[in-house]
Amino acid sequence: MKLTTTIINRAVQGELVGAEEVTVTGVEFDSRKIKAGDLFVPLQGNADGHLFVQKAIENGAVATLWSNENVQPPENIVAIKVPNTLKAFQALASYYLLEENPDVIAITGSNGKTTTKDMTEAVLRQKFRTYKTQGNYNNDIGLPYTILHMPEGTEKLILEMGMDHAGEIKVLSELAEPDVAAITIIGEAHIENLGSRAGIAEAKLEITKGLIEDGLLLIPADEPLLTERTQNLSQKQETFGIQMGDVSATIMSESREATLFTVDGKAYQIPMPGKYNVKNALIAMAIGRWYGLSDEEIYQGLAYVEVTQNRTQWLKAANGADILSDVYNANPTAMSLVLDTFAKLPTNGRRLAVLADMLELGPDTALLHQNMLNHLNDQEFAIVYLYGEQMRNLAAILATRYPRLLVQAFAKEEKAKLIEAVKADLLPEDSIVLKGSNGMGLIEVIEELQA
């Protein structure tokens, strides 16, 4: 990136303080990450970002946005006064996106956004210069940040769009104006804020608000909440699914290392287990086909994709046991899919599961947790550890139905006891799956098992 402060000021419709013009080569909102030549964006978070402008200057910032009407900006930095630094940040991203003009692929869904983003980028980079959302930068701050860190010459930009309230994806879609949009799945994530799965579907469909007129929308073939609501859209639509939809897969085999499947009689594979991950791969395949990639290029992208950590990721415990880590986030649909997949995978020893509370599920929280009973049994699983107040609701009924299944329940403040119990029970030949909302911190359990 190389933008002068005059151009930035014009893009954000601000007021340039002082006559000096400098060239900006990067943008950061965290003063600790500032490098020489950067523009600092002071955002309002737990603290007012304006308090860190001096630190940004010390680290090399040459310009800053400024919205504090009560204090004048420092004299040793070029300042651009704006009413709202976040809105200006987004406006600058919109300008830079128009200047670079890549094709934009937007991906949302209750589960699988990040894996689908990774798969799509892996496919498209077989032919194009690509850039994707890094980590989980998928909100009203993370998306413009991703755009402004896009390298010059990017041809395909893959953006993950997240939300927990209605209206949030609309803002992101209208900012990015995607050429292709995809919805992975409608689950129960954030149902507390959106009221129902129908409300979640409506919120996810906001991704079409900025979708260009001749763009492509991809939706799951087995989700009537989406197929019914997209009938009147003018953009081209394609569906995907297992043995159904416009892009349809047949599962051939599944192991802990890979899943093999066919589409239109051609064989493909992904380096991970799970029918749900095949659905994610179908999105990447459909996007690859939309942009003219060959079957071989799509095969190579999917076969060698590297996914973001803690999304259906195999790890090793210090004692040699196999760990299936899927602890970034959780909702009932996602947890049931992971448990069903894990139960089918071969193991030399026993199967163990650590399940933590799923957050933001609203008034049906207890019932939704208890429904995990239908995805556990005493034939595929030997021990189940339930962590958190909601998961403890599952303990009694699980132990009653499956008396041979060892069930242990822990309150949220008993994480140390949970770790101690798992480490004591886990044998080198065992396999263990961990799944729960990010806020429950199961990553700490994994780190202790690996230590």
Side-chain angles (χ1 to χ4, degrees):
M1 167 191 285
K2 287 186 179 179
L3 297 174
T4 66
T5 45
T6 299
I7 291 174
I8 294 172
N9 184 57
R10 190 183 309 137
V12 303
Q13 298 183 336
E15 176 190 346
L16 196 59
V17 177
E20 183 184 4
E21 178 173 271
V22 297
T23 298
V24 167
T25 55
V27 180
E28 292 289 347
F29 58 81
D30 185 339
S31 61
R32 296 166 297 183
K33 294 183 178 179
I34 287 286
K35 302 182 298 295
D38 280 353
L39 168 75
F40 178 58
V41 181
L43 299 175
Q44 182 66 49
N46 294 328
D48 184 352
H50 292 85
L51 299 173
F52 303 97
V53 171
Q54 191 57 48
K55 179 64 176 177
I57 294 171
E58 293 170 6
N59 287 340
V62 295
T64 184
L65 299 180
W66 192 270
S67 63
N68 190 337
E69 297 179 354
N70 300 318
V71 179
Q72 288 299 311
E75 295 182 358
N76 54 340
I77 191 170
V78 177
I80 300 169
K81 288 187 175 181
V82 293
N84 183 301
T85 53
L86 176 58
K87 297 295 185 185
F89 184 42
Q90 294 168 343
L92 181 58
S94 181
Y95 171 85
Y96 185 62
L97 190 59
L98 287 172
E99 285 293 298
E100 288 298 313
N101 198 31
D103 288 326
V104 175
I105 296 94
I107 297 169
T108 193
S110 299
N111 192 57
K113 294 185 294 295
T114 302
T115 299
T116 304
K117 170 201 70 180
D118 293 337
M119 289 178 168
T120 301
E121 192 272 337
V123 167
L124 292 179
R125 74 163 176 253
Q126 303 300 312
K127 189 172 183 178
F128 302 104
R129 291 189 294 274
T130 61
Y131 189 68
K132 66 180 178 180
T133 300
Q134 302 298 299
N136 197 43
Y137 274 43
N138 62 13
N139 61 6
D140 59 345
I141 295 173
L143 186 132
Y145 183 89
T146 298
I147 292 171
L148 289 165
H149 281 73
M150 170 180 58
E152 293 180 4
T154 297
E155 296 172 298
K156 309 294 179 189
L157 177 63
I158 302 95
L159 296 174
E160 182 179 329
M161 295 186 177
M163 59 107 219
D164 54 24
H165 288 82
E168 293 177 332
I169 289 181
K170 178 178 182 291
V171 171
L172 304 181
S173 180
E174 290 179 344
L175 191 163
E177 297 184 340
D179 299 86
V180 176
I183 302 174
T184 61
I185 192 173
I186 300 301
E188 303 84 2
H190 311 302
I191 200 169
E192 183 177 42
N193 302 326
L194 295 159
S196 64
R197 289 185 73 250
I200 294 169
E202 293 282 358
K204 298 300 184 186
L205 278 169
E206 292 174 12
I207 201 168
T208 63
K209 296 299 183 182
L211 183 63
I212 64 172
E213 192 60 32
D214 58 349
L216 171 67
L217 174 66
L218 293 160
I219 58 173
D222 59 354
E223 183 48 84
L225 288 173
L226 293 175
T227 53
E228 293 168 0
R229 286 169 167 76
T230 55
Q231 293 178 0
N232 296 324
L233 289 177
S234 59
Q235 292 92 343
K236 179 176 172 59
Q237 297 170 48
E238 289 185 4
T239 59
F240 59 89
I242 306 300
Q243 296 186 318
M244 65 190 309
D246 299 313
V247 187
S248 174
T250 299
I251 307 293
M252 303 304 292
S253 66
E254 185 176 359
S255 69
R256 62 176 61 192
E257 292 84 16
T259 305
L260 278 63
F261 61 98
T262 61
V263 177
D264 299 331
K266 297 181 176 64
Y268 298 88
Q269 66 174 334
I270 52 175
M272 63 197 73
K275 180 171 68 175
Y276 57 97
N277 278 319
V278 172
K279 289 184 177 181
N280 297 335
L282 293 180
I283 296 174
M285 175 181 291
I287 295 171
R289 288 178 170 181
W290 179 256
Y291 286 116
L293 271 73
S294 67
D295 294 336
E296 177 60 25
E297 287 169 328
I298 293 171
Y299 177 91
Q300 291 294 323
L302 292 177
Y304 299 103
V305 62
E306 295 183 4
V307 297
T308 304
Q309 285 189 338
N310 296 319
R311 276 82 167 178
T312 321
Q313 181 186 20
W314 283 105
L315 303 169
K316 278 286 186 184
N319 71 349
D322 291 315
I323 301 171
L324 182 57
S325 170
D326 202 326
V327 299
Y328 182 76
N329 228 328
N331 60 67
T333 297
M335 184 173 285
S336 62
L337 290 171
V338 169
L339 288 173
D340 291 348
T341 295
F342 183 74
K344 298 174 184 175
L345 298 177
T347 178
N348 294 323
R350 305 167 302 169
R351 294 188 190 89
L352 287 66
V354 179
L355 306 179
D357 283 359
M358 299 173 283
L359 308 179
E360 299 182 10
L361 296 183
D364 294 328
T365 291
L367 178 61
L368 290 169
H369 281 79
Q370 289 171 12
N371 284 345
M372 290 304 106
L373 175 75
N374 301 317
H375 304 277
L376 295 163
N377 59 66
D378 55 8
Q379 293 182 330
E380 276 86 15
F381 292 87
I383 309 175
V384 175
Y385 307 88
L386 302 174
Y387 176 54
E389 299 311 311
Q390 295 303 325
M391 273 299 170
R392 293 177 76 182
N393 293 326
L394 176 61
I397 58 172
L398 190 59
T400 300
R401 179 178 290 190
Y402 300 111
R404 292 189 304 164
L405 181 64
L406 179 58
V407 180
Q408 299 187 47
F410 301 86
K412 187 174 183 181
E413 62 271 16
E414 295 179 318
K415 185 178 289 181
K417 290 184 179 180
L418 166 66
I419 293 169
E420 182 180 350
V422 176
K423 291 180 76 171
D425 294 336
L426 187 66
L427 301 176
E429 62 271 19
D430 289 342
S431 299
I432 185 168
V433 62
L434 295 95
K435 183 71 175 172
S437 283
N438 194 35
M440 298 300 292
L442 284 187
I443 187 63
E444 297 172 31
V445 181
I446 292 174
E447 288 170 349
E448 285 295 324
L449 292 178
Q450 291 182 296

